[in-house]
Structures are given as C-alpha cells and as structure tokens.
Amino acid sequence: MFKKFTPSTDISGQTPPKSSVQRSLRNALLSQWKITPETLEQIWPKKESLIHVKCRDHLSMYTVQGSPLFFQHFDGPMYPTLRLLQRYPSILPKVGIDRGAIRFLLGGANMMCPGLNSPGGYLPPAEEALPAESMVAIFAEGKEHPIAVGITKLESEELRRSKKGVGVEIATYLGDDLWPLKSL
Amino acid sequence: MSTEDQAPSQDIPPKEIFYCEVCTFPLEYCEFGSSFTKCKEWLKEADSAQYDKHYSEEALQSKLGTLSLEAQKKLEKDVAKKEAKAEAKADAALKKKMSSPVTIKRIERNKRKHVTAVHGLEAFDIELKKAAKFFAQRFATGASVSKNAQGQDEIVVQGDVAYDIEELIEKGTGVLKGIPIDNVEIVEDKKKKSD
Ligand SMILES: [Zn+2]
C-alpha cells in the first residue's frame, strides 16, 4: 500500500476522531491484535488523542503525537506500522520467509508460497494453523526483527503445501514510502 | 528460525532496536540496502560491539542459513550492483542539479513599471515561498509564487530587481545558497510596441 506514497500530495487532511470513534478503534485493536489493554496503553495512552490522517484511495493512517501507529484500507483490518511492530513483535502471529526471498520483499513484491514453506521459511504448526486473510508479522531467516506486515491469502496448512502462487500479500515493508515517515 | 510464539500475558516492554544511521534499516538489514559499504564503515566507527555482532567471521557464517553459497555469492553481487547504481544515480542527480538553469526575467509592464520573474530555484532545494518572502523583505516590495504560462512555478517580484537578485545569488545571501552563478541568466521581456 505504501510502495509509492508522497505525504505532500497523498495526505488530504488530519483530524482527531470523536471520542466514541476512538473507543471503537481501541476495541478493534484489542480484538484484532494479540495485545493486552496494558500494552496498548503504552502504545496509545488514553490521555493522548489519536489523529486520523486521511490519505488517497481510502487509506487511513492513525498517529499519536505525530508518529504513525496503524493504518486501514476502507474498513479493512488495522495494520500496525512496521516500526510499531518491530517494537512489539508479538502482537501479530508470525510467518517467516527464507533468506533468498528477502530481496524480493524489499523490492515490494508479495510473498510467494515457496519462500514461506522452504526450509528457511516458517509457518505456524498445524495446531496453531491460521485461516486465510490473517494479518501476520513477516520475519526473515536469520534476522531478529520483522521485515513486513501482510495478510495471508491461504489457510496456513494449504500454504505449507502450495508450490506456487502468492502466499502473503504485503501491506507495508522495510524501506517502503511509509518507513521514513517517523512523524506526520 | 525460532518456533516459540508466546501469547503476551501482561504489559510487555517495547523491544530495543538499533537502527542504521546511513540506510535507516535495523542493523541486520544493512546488507540488503543500497549503501552497505557506507553502513559498515559508519557502524565500525559508531559502535564496535554491534559491528562485531553483525560482521565477525562467525556472524557471517551463521547468517548464511539455508541459502547456498552460490545464492549468497549472487546476493553479494546484486548488492554491489545496487550500491554502484545508487551511487551513479546520486552523482547524476547532483550533476543535474548543478547544471540546472535559473532564469531571471525582467518584464516590462509599461514605460516605467517592471516586474521580475525568477524561475528554477526549486532545483536547488530552495523553498519558493520562503524565497518570495525573502525578496519581499529585501526589496520592500510585493513578491509571490505563481505559475508561468508553461505551468511551472516561479517567483514574481514587483519592481526592476533582476540585477539585484543576480547579485544576491552570486553572494549566496539568505536562502539563495548553492547556485553556481554561471547557471543564472537574465532575460529581457520587452513590451511589444503596438504603435
Ligand atoms: Zn545501514
């Protein structure tokens, strides 16, 4: 979503949402992320107002004290920014890509199944299988920090078997045009 | 890759991450950026412990992971290529910038009234609004940013100040820094005599 993003032309306005809206956003985050109210309070303290940054193509970004924390396309899932995910990597279930796939991801490509189910990749065990359309943190072989946020296109056990096709669609990745925006 | 995946129970503290000041990535991802050589040089100076952690013989061995030696060689070649490309691009951009023209047009409105239009300052990372304000204050006159007939931004200053502006650019006064004076050209735009 942020392969090409120019703040000066792609942002149309910034407004604080009504407090009822902020409450429902908070609830959405608590239900969509693996996060406790205490941890969310660290990230977005109740006394801090959230700012809704309206962007092109029905993309909404939300900031606290200027720093982008999460974003949403239409009324889809609430994606954490990669910078936030790197600080709190356990808020999303994890998948991993092998070392060979890293440079493709950094070029803005979606992740193909073979990069996830090869020996260097990682998929959750069968008893923790993820349904299709799960928001995931994407880690990389041999690296400590997540490299992208995406959404699975197949159920994870199916993903394990697939020899081709897109396994995870990327929402934001290291080095995209959202990455340099530390403050808006 | 580690397979443990604990659900957060309570308040988890944020992870501490070391970011590279050259390429902005977490240190472990510098090797995939377009400035790897510079990243390494910087880290060696800035934090030798982190440097050893990432680039000691041991670290280099273990990061290969499941990637074959051949694939790793290819990766290194790609990175070197990427780096060379980024450098060439930066060079070309600088060259282009330094040869970018600035035109100061002296426009005759009527017998005694002139306006001066300045075009091309933005190529030198000068904010046009700031420059307009600077001219307005400097010459105690009106100055504004507007579009010319070609749809490009230019600064229109009230009054005949073309040669004064040229001088300010030559001296690099105020916001007008970094423009080679040879790039500056003054052109006359005389009113056509209809009679
Ligand atoms: Zn770096």
Side-chain angles (χ1 to χ4, degrees):
Chain A
M1 278 173 224
F2 293 97
K3 194 166 179 179
K4 282 265 177 294
F5 186 81
T6 317
S8 58
T9 53
D10 290 339
I11 293 178
S12 56
Q14 302 202 17
T15 47
K18 280 190 283 190
S19 58
S20 60
V21 175
Q22 298 214 21
R23 248 195 322 276
S24 63
L25 284 169
R26 199 177 278 277
N27 288 333
L29 295 181
L30 287 170
S31 71
Q32 293 178 21
W33 297 355
K34 295 194 291 176
I35 193 170
T36 59
E38 292 81 10
T39 307
L40 185 58
E41 175 67 23
Q42 273 182 37
I43 296 171
W44 169 18
K46 285 208 178 66
K47 58 179 191 338
E48 293 289 346
S49 177
L50 192 74
I51 301 293
H52 176 198
V53 181
K54 280 195 191 130
C55 311
R56 51 126 167 97
D57 303 331
H58 302 278
L59 196 58
S60 289
M61 195 139 51
Y62 295 90
T63 64
V64 169
Q65 287 186 318
S67 55
L69 294 186
F70 53 95
F71 58 92
Q72 184 182 31
H73 188 226
F74 280 101
D75 50 2
M78 302 283 186
Y79 296 99
T81 59
L82 183 61
R83 283 186 192 272
L84 178 67
L85 181 71
Q86 287 179 341
R87 283 167 61 221
Y88 296 93
S90 61
I91 62 174
L92 294 182
K94 121 184 180 186
V95 300
I97 56 169
D98 62 26
R99 189 169 158 84
I102 295 177
R103 63 194 179 98
F104 295 105
L105 195 155
L106 295 178
N110 288 323
M111 286 297 95
M112 299 303 188
C113 296
L116 293 145
N117 60 26
S118 72
Y122 172 78
L123 288 165
E127 60 274 20
E128 290 165 31
L130 297 169
E133 305 294 321
S134 294
M135 204 187 334
V136 286
I138 299 154
F139 286 74
E141 181 184 8
K143 304 294 182 201
E144 180 186 0
H145 304 293
I147 185 173
V149 182
I151 205 130
T152 57
K153 297 321 281 177
L154 298 168
E155 199 261 291
S156 59
E157 284 306 295
E158 213 176 321
L159 233 161
R160 196 189 306 282
R161 292 187 298 266
S162 295
K163 301 252 186 305
K164 57 179 185 188
V166 172
V168 178
E169 203 173 273
I170 304 301
T172 182
Y173 60 93
L174 184 63
D176 66 4
D177 283 352
L178 174 59
W179 176 255
L181 304 180
K182 287 190 209 164
S183 180
L184 281 177
Chain B
M1 231 175 204
S2 144
T3 52
E4 63 193 347
D5 198 9
Q6 289 172 344
S9 53
Q10 276 295 309
D11 203 1
I12 41 166
K15 216 167 188 157
E16 199 184 0
I17 305 154
F18 294 95
Y19 291 108
C20 171
E21 278 183 21
V22 179
C23 73
T24 77
F25 288 1
L27 297 178
E28 59 182 1
Y29 287 109
C30 284
E31 57 168 331
F32 290 98
S34 56
S35 53
F36 190 33
T37 313
K38 285 204 186 87
C39 294
K40 274 207 289 200
E41 278 167 11
W42 164 78
L43 188 62
K44 204 170 185 177
E45 286 295 306
D47 191 332
S48 60
Q50 284 290 336
Y51 183 85
D52 289 341
K53 185 180 159 199
H54 288 89
Y55 304 118
S56 68
E57 201 56 44
E58 219 177 325
L60 292 180
Q61 274 302 319
S62 69
K63 84 170 177 197
L64 272 179
T66 60
L67 200 66
S68 69
L69 209 61
E70 202 180 331
Q72 174 63 19
K73 283 241 170 70
K74 168 142 178 36
L75 183 79
E76 275 163 21
K77 225 169 110 189
D78 278 353
V79 165
K81 230 197 257 166
K82 217 163 145 188
E83 239 179 302
K85 217 165 138 187
E87 252 166 57
K89 207 171 149 191
D91 276 356
L94 184 69
K95 226 173 173 176
K96 190 173 168 207
K97 177 173 160 179
M98 291 328 280
S99 64
S100 181
V102 170
T103 317
I104 306 176
K105 209 183 230 178
R106 186 167 176 262
I107 306 166
E108 187 178 39
R109 282 275 191 259
N110 59 41
K111 260 277 173 293
R112 281 175 311 173
K113 197 166 173 275
H114 285 83
V115 294
T116 307
V118 187
H119 173 253
L121 296 180
E122 68 282 353
F124 296 91
D125 304 319
I126 294 168
E127 270 185 58
L128 297 187
K129 274 190 185 151
K130 275 193 188 152
K133 204 168 163 194
F134 174 70
F135 290 141
Q137 274 167 357
R138 188 85 191 188
F139 305 121
T141 181
S144 61
V145 180
S146 58
K147 292 234 185 284
N148 64 15
Q150 288 78 43
Q152 301 158 318
D153 279 333
E154 61 178 23
I155 300 172
V156 178
V157 189
Q158 300 303 315
D160 181 9
V161 290
Y163 291 92
D164 302 277
I165 291 175
E166 186 187 33
E167 201 182 316
L168 292 176
I169 291 175
E170 183 159 24
K171 287 184 182 153
T173 318
V175 294
L176 304 172
K177 281 188 185 65
I179 307 170
I181 193 65
D182 291 340
N183 297 19
V184 180
E185 190 192 11
I186 294 182
V187 295
E188 297 276 344
D189 187 8
K190 284 241 194 278
K191 201 175 179 182
K192 285 202 187 81
K193 289 265 178 336
S194 49
D195 49 358

